[in-house]
Amino acid sequence: MTKPSLSELLHAAVAAVGGTERPGQVTMAESVAEAIDDGSHLLVQAGTGTGKSLGYLVPALAHGERVVVATATLALQRQLVRRDLPRTVEALHPLLRRRPEFAMLKGRSNYLCLHRLHEGVPQEEEDGLFDVFETATPSSKLGKDLLRMRDWADETETGDRDALSPGVSDRAWAQVSVSSRECLGASRCAYGAECFAEAARERAKLADVVITNHALLAIDALEGAPVLPGHEVLIVDEAHELVSRVTGAATGELTPGSVNRAVRRAAKLVNEKAADALQTAAEGFERLMELALPGRLEKIPEDLGYALMALRDASRTVITALGATRDKSVQDEDAVRKQALASIENVHAVAERLVEGSEYDVVWYERHDRFGASLRVAPLSVSGLLREKLFTDRSVILTSATLRLGGDFNGVAASLGLPPEGTVTAAGEDAEPVPQWKGVDVGSPFDYPRQGILYVAQHLSQPGREGGRGDMLDELAELVEAAGGRTLGLFSSMRGARAAAEDLRDRLDVPILLQGEETLGELIHGFAEDERTCLFGTLSLWQGVDVPGPSCQLVVMDRIPFPRPDDPLMSARQKAVEENGGNGFMAVAATHAALLMAQGAGRLVRATGDRGVVAVLDPRLARARYGSFLRASMPDFWYTTDRNQVRRSLAAIDGAARTAKER
């Protein structure tokens, strides 16, 4: 039997999922197959509606090597595991003469822990915590959730939190899950043979395709021991999120609360001298944190340095003591010890990292109204880590609707540790090999110039940091009224979204939903169900809304979403670029804004029949020198600054939608 061609395989897969084969999808599949065959790396920009999941799954399955697919969102993981992969595998089976296996793998805390479920949370009496299974009333929300999870534990095959519907609160889930550091280990746990997390790892080892998330991919790169099974191909979907997810995984944090919790957990398990030293160190740290002001610490102050050294040394002593003692009087002592050890090891690791210091780390204080102050440390850049850990010994495919910013892939590539496209490997035995990669933009099935308008309100005043833009609110009200509602309002701050919602609720007779007033899922459902409804919010809406049709025909951005000037990590990264002779503003702030604006503008056209306007109420997009870079990162909509033209267009789109609804 002759080997089936890629086009035959793609055609069968597309038919199986009920889709339509698109030229961009074919180009993508061919590019992915080529990269996998020659072991190179590929960045693929594939617009909404391209069908990119099949564009990478089909060539990966055809190649026959093990592939890991990492995504940023649960929604895409669900789509791959529940829809795309089952149908694709069945469609390709007759052609490939084999049925590839696939499995989902997440971090341990995403799985129900049978030890926690049956034995309860290790008690911390001084903390006021208790075994909630014993004390939560059956009528309370927490009690109902816990009872439901006990019943679910007997039915579920995976123990995966995402499979529990309806879901439960984080507090409830925390009672039945453990982190990898808190886990006793399958060999020492009475429930090890039935462990859901261990079963997921075993399934992943046997699978041809492993679906995971960016966070686990980051942990796999950061930890010494591999978390993911060995693989020859890595596909990173929603790749525009990867740098921020890896940065998050590599960020350490100390708070008075976390340190005091570690003290309480360890106090009952170690000798009095070690416990007292840790308690004293914790109190010294807490006194300093009460005075902490938000902002970056270019240098660790002397008093903080001493407090951190005391924490480091005391926690090291406790870690040693925890390994040397056993107290048979403590019920379920192994679980108690493991939980204490996890807390203390985190305090020690972060304190040691801060004491040792590194020119490649950024340190800052944060202050939260509810939780108080925290001390954080994050890598200045993760590009070196990614270059070393990601792009060696395997072919890597990175794909997203937004990778080509300002007209090329080099900005995103640099953040991933890749050199400019086409860079040749340096000669010589000692030369470090340069990862070879190619960028491909396969376009979009949508006719953006005909389907959408990009309107920039260049007559408005320039936004300032203090807020209070009356002319912007007037413009927003007029646009929403012309559109008949149907508006997704994307704001750079929650304060701005709240002010706009309050103002327009008084002015207009259309429902306005505001992020934070309901769960995100309920808000998006309400927005999609009623065409006249508007939805206002901030960051998660810029990337998380998929509402095709007449419910979303106007997408408004109140201002260019540059990072805050006082953002410690972003400002440090910008300064580092400038010190190396680059343009820090363009490399960091403008690139950050371009990515969000490309994602935000992508909310408008989600289907071939969609029509509408993206309105940016920030004149800098039209006037500033960097405006062309930002516009080049967005879909190729018809561009105008004519406010009257846009109002006429919105009214016409609204009229057409009303007429269609009446038919």
Side-chain angles (χ1 to χ4, degrees), residues 265-477:
R265 287 175 173 175
K268 293 177 288 187
L269 301 173
V270 297
N271 62 69
E272 189 175 336
K273 183 179 178 182
D276 286 348
L278 185 60
Q279 178 70 51
T280 301
E283 289 170 357
F285 176 70
E286 185 167 11
R287 280 195 297 272
L288 285 176
M289 293 298 284
E290 287 171 358
L291 305 172
L293 297 173
R296 184 183 177 191
L297 300 174
E298 299 266 4
K299 185 181 177 184
I300 300 285
E302 189 175 17
D303 53 355
L304 178 60
Y306 285 128
L308 290 169
M309 280 191 279
L311 267 183
R312 177 198 62 183
D313 296 343
S315 57
R316 184 193 295 136
T317 301
V318 168
I319 289 168
T320 303
L322 281 170
T325 60
R326 285 280 188 271
D327 183 354
K328 297 301 181 187
S329 68
V330 179
Q331 186 182 18
D332 195 19
E333 195 246 1
D334 272 350
V336 173
R337 180 179 303 280
K338 197 72 176 178
Q339 189 177 59
L341 196 57
S343 294
I344 293 292
E345 284 177 340
N346 181 65
V347 170
H348 177 264
V350 179
E352 186 169 56
R353 180 177 175 184
L354 288 162
V355 167
E356 289 181 352
S358 168
E359 61 181 308
Y360 303 111
D361 270 344
V362 180
V363 182
W364 72 97
Y365 283 128
E366 274 188 13
R367 185 166 283 282
H368 191 281
D369 291 342
R370 184 177 171 191
F371 303 112
S374 65
L375 180 61
R376 311 196 83 198
V377 54
L380 182 61
S381 169
V382 294
S383 59
L385 171 74
L386 291 172
R387 182 174 59 248
E388 179 189 348
K389 301 290 188 180
L390 219 62
F391 297 100
T392 52
D393 304 324
R394 58 186 166 188
S395 175
V396 182
I397 315 297
L398 300 115
T399 184
S400 165
T402 48
L403 290 179
R404 195 168 176 262
L405 302 180
D408 64 47
F409 292 92
N410 286 329
V412 169
S415 71
L416 296 165
L418 295 171
E421 189 173 7
T423 302
V424 180
T425 302
E429 291 183 11
D430 298 329
E432 185 181 340
V434 175
Q436 297 298 299
W437 65 278
K438 186 169 78 170
V440 177
D441 182 354
V442 301
S444 166
F446 304 140
D447 188 349
Y448 285 123
R450 288 181 177 272
Q451 289 185 249
I453 296 171
L454 171 60
Y455 164 60
V456 181
Q458 71 168 1
H459 62 283
L460 295 179
S461 59
Q462 187 167 310
R465 290 198 66 191
E466 67 285 344
R469 298 173 63 203
D471 59 345
M472 185 276 287
L473 292 173
D474 292 342
E475 181 81 9
L476 176 60

Side-chain angles (χ1 to χ4, degrees), residues 1-6 9 12 36-37 56-67 85-102 206-209 232-233:
M1 182 179 175
T2 57
K3 185 179 178 182
S5 68
L6 183 63
L9 295 170
I36 292 174
D37 287 341
Y56 58 70
L57 285 176
V58 171
L61 290 169
H63 191 70
E65 306 281 6
R66 178 184 281 143
V67 58
L85 269 167
R87 295 181 186 181
T88 302
V89 164
E90 286 306 311
L92 300 189
H93 174 233
L95 296 167
L96 294 175
R97 306 294 291 272
R98 55 186 170 83
R99 185 178 275 108
E101 298 288 330
F102 56 91
L206 300 172
D208 301 282
V209 180
E232 291 71 32
V233 179

